[in-house]
Amino acid sequence: PLAGADAAVGGPDPQVDDTVDLIERNFLSSSLSKFAPLIGAKERRIKFTTELKGSGTAGTPPTIDPFLRACGMSVTNVLATSDTYNVNNGVETLTLARWLKDGVSGSVAKKIKGAMGAFSMEGSVGGAMAVSFDFLGQYLDVIDLVSPSGVVADTLKPPQLLGITMTI
């Protein structure tokens, strides 16, 4: 299960999109009614945007570290100095959840597991850099689930995009 310590809060409007294949059953019968379709493959996509910023402590990975690693990046950590991300051929996945208030039970969770994704970055001069993540994973049934406790909002201000040197 996901805990408050696992939380990395994204931007203001995370998107959850479900795709469910319906398998039609068009067979002859003595009835004019159609057969109910079968439910085939299910997948769920979770997209969100957050600020690009460090942890505030040199050599400590940022809160978006698990997301970057599930997007095919590897990290080289130099304790108390830096973290460097590079493209990795290894496969790392994660479990993601989006909690929604439903007005009845308090909240429901839309979760995926085995999620891998892609990311893009954008920014404008004077503003903060943004990282948009797009994850696709195994669909898990929507369940009534209380939001994890102990989630601490990251109040660290991101650096402004003024003049940078970047290696991609």
Side-chain angles (χ1 to χ4, degrees):
L2 296 172
D6 298 323
V9 180
D13 189 24
Q15 298 174 4
V16 178
D17 298 310
D18 296 336
T19 303
V20 178
D21 291 335
L22 294 179
I23 301 167
E24 295 295 328
R25 301 169 58 220
N26 297 322
F27 297 101
L28 294 176
S29 76
S30 60
S31 171
L32 295 175
S33 299
K34 287 186 169 185
F35 289 103
L38 298 174
I39 295 177
K42 298 179 190 178
E43 64 184 22
R44 178 171 285 146
R45 182 176 299 276
I46 298 179
K47 299 178 185 180
F48 59 94
T49 300
T50 189
E51 295 173 322
L52 177 63
K53 58 185 173 181
S55 65
T57 304
T60 300
T63 56
I64 63 170
D65 176 73
F67 304 133
L68 293 171
R69 289 187 284 121
C71 289
M73 304 299 285
S74 64
V75 63
T76 302
N77 176 268
V78 179
L79 194 60
T81 304
S82 66
D83 288 298
T84 303
Y85 288 87
N86 292 297
V87 176
N88 182 14
N89 291 331
V91 176
E92 193 166 337
T93 65
L94 55 86
T95 298
L96 286 173
R98 166 75 166 110
W99 272 264
L100 304 163
K101 297 288 184 190
D102 71 354
V104 178
S105 64
S107 60
V108 295
K110 289 191 170 188
K111 296 170 73 172
I112 56 176
K113 71 177 183 178
M116 292 187 288
F119 70 93
S120 62
M121 295 186 282
E122 66 178 71
S124 57
V125 175
M129 289 285 291
V131 184
S132 295
F133 291 98
D134 182 350
F135 287 99
L136 183 64
Q138 180 184 346
Y139 176 103
L140 297 174
D141 288 333
V142 176
I143 57 172
D144 290 336
L145 189 65
V146 176
S147 300
S149 61
V151 176
V152 178
D154 182 2
T155 58
L156 185 68
K157 288 184 181 179
Q160 285 182 280
L161 179 60
L162 299 175
I164 62 169
T165 300
M166 183 180 287
T167 303
I168 299 178

